[in-house]
Amino acid sequence: MKNTVSNNAKNTPAEIPAHIAIIMDGNGRWARKRALPRTVGHKAGFNNFVDIVDLCGRIGVSYLTVYAFSTENWKREKSEVNDLIRLMNSGIKEYMPEMQRNNVKLRILGDLLMFDVNSRTMLENSVKTLSGNTGMLLSICLSYGGRQEIIQAVNRLLDEGKREISESDFEGYLYTSGIPDPDLIIRTSGEIRISNFLLWQSAYSEYYFTDVLWPDFNKEELFKAIESFAARKRRFGR
Ligand code: IPE
Ligand code: IPE
Ligand code: MG
């Protein structure tokens, strides 16, 4: 799906994917290049996330889904995990008024039971506060894994005693229920892999890989990704 926006804003690509998903990778390497601690890289990554969310909202993206913390990321050093959770807590709280001003709706995708009750309450309250907004839907994947998402869906189906379901029924049990599949999936930092992101939903997504590290992925880089997407011919097997 593509949205066509009136191209008033100079340098705005004419054809905007309705749903962009981003694997925001490379914070650690960005910090290492500057001989800084990894947490400084994560802070720079968070600041860039804020800029990219604002930009996507302004150019007419309907759905933006970002991979912020994977089920596998729990295996990192405890100190890094704690830094990331602290940054998430303070960052989202600080960013709330701006999301409210920008009419952004929020969803959190992932196994929230992995977080402590304070973080969970903060996330749930943020979603509630922004639920009346009508602009772009920002989905943040936290403690998210594509396999975990599919297995929790299957377990819920088993609990409900279902014996046979359709693809569209199944989609209703995924965290992304009600959200159309991503049109464009971007991964920064030069890794050419999925790392357990949106396994079901990416069946026909277009991928864009760039060597740029996430904190450096600016407007120009986003527009390059969108131009690359716009130049492709999607066939969906037809
Ligand atoms: C992405 O940056 C952020 C998270 C996965 C939380 P990384 O922390 O993976 O940075 P690199 O890949 O080590 O550079
Ligand atoms: C993927 O990045 C997850 C996020 C960006 C949140 P990783 O850095 O965790 O992925 P791998 O380990 O390089 O595959
Ligand atoms: Mg990484």
Side-chain angles (χ1 to χ4, degrees), residues 158-173:
L158 291 172
D159 280 349
E160 293 177 15
K162 295 263 187 349
R163 294 178 57 86
E164 199 179 324
I165 52 150
S166 65
E167 286 187 10
S168 62
D169 289 338
F170 186 68
E171 282 164 359
Y173 287 78

Side-chain angles (χ1 to χ4, degrees), residues 133-153:
N133 288 346
T134 54
M136 184 177 78
L137 174 63
L138 168 66
S139 302
I140 307 180
C141 296
L142 288 170
S143 192
Y144 173 90
R147 288 183 171 179
Q148 192 274 337
E149 176 183 38
I150 289 168
I151 291 300
Q152 67 77 36

Side-chain angles (χ1 to χ4, degrees), residues 25-26 29 76 187:
D25 197 12
R29 278 162 284 171
R76 293 190 179 190
R187 183 171 189 149

Side-chain angles (χ1 to χ4, degrees), residues 24-29 38 73 76 187-189 191 193:
M24 307 183 293
D25 197 12
N27 296 346
R29 278 162 284 171
R38 289 180 67 83
N73 289 152
R76 293 190 179 190
R187 183 171 189 149
T188 57
S189 90
E191 311 297 355
R193 56 175 172 258

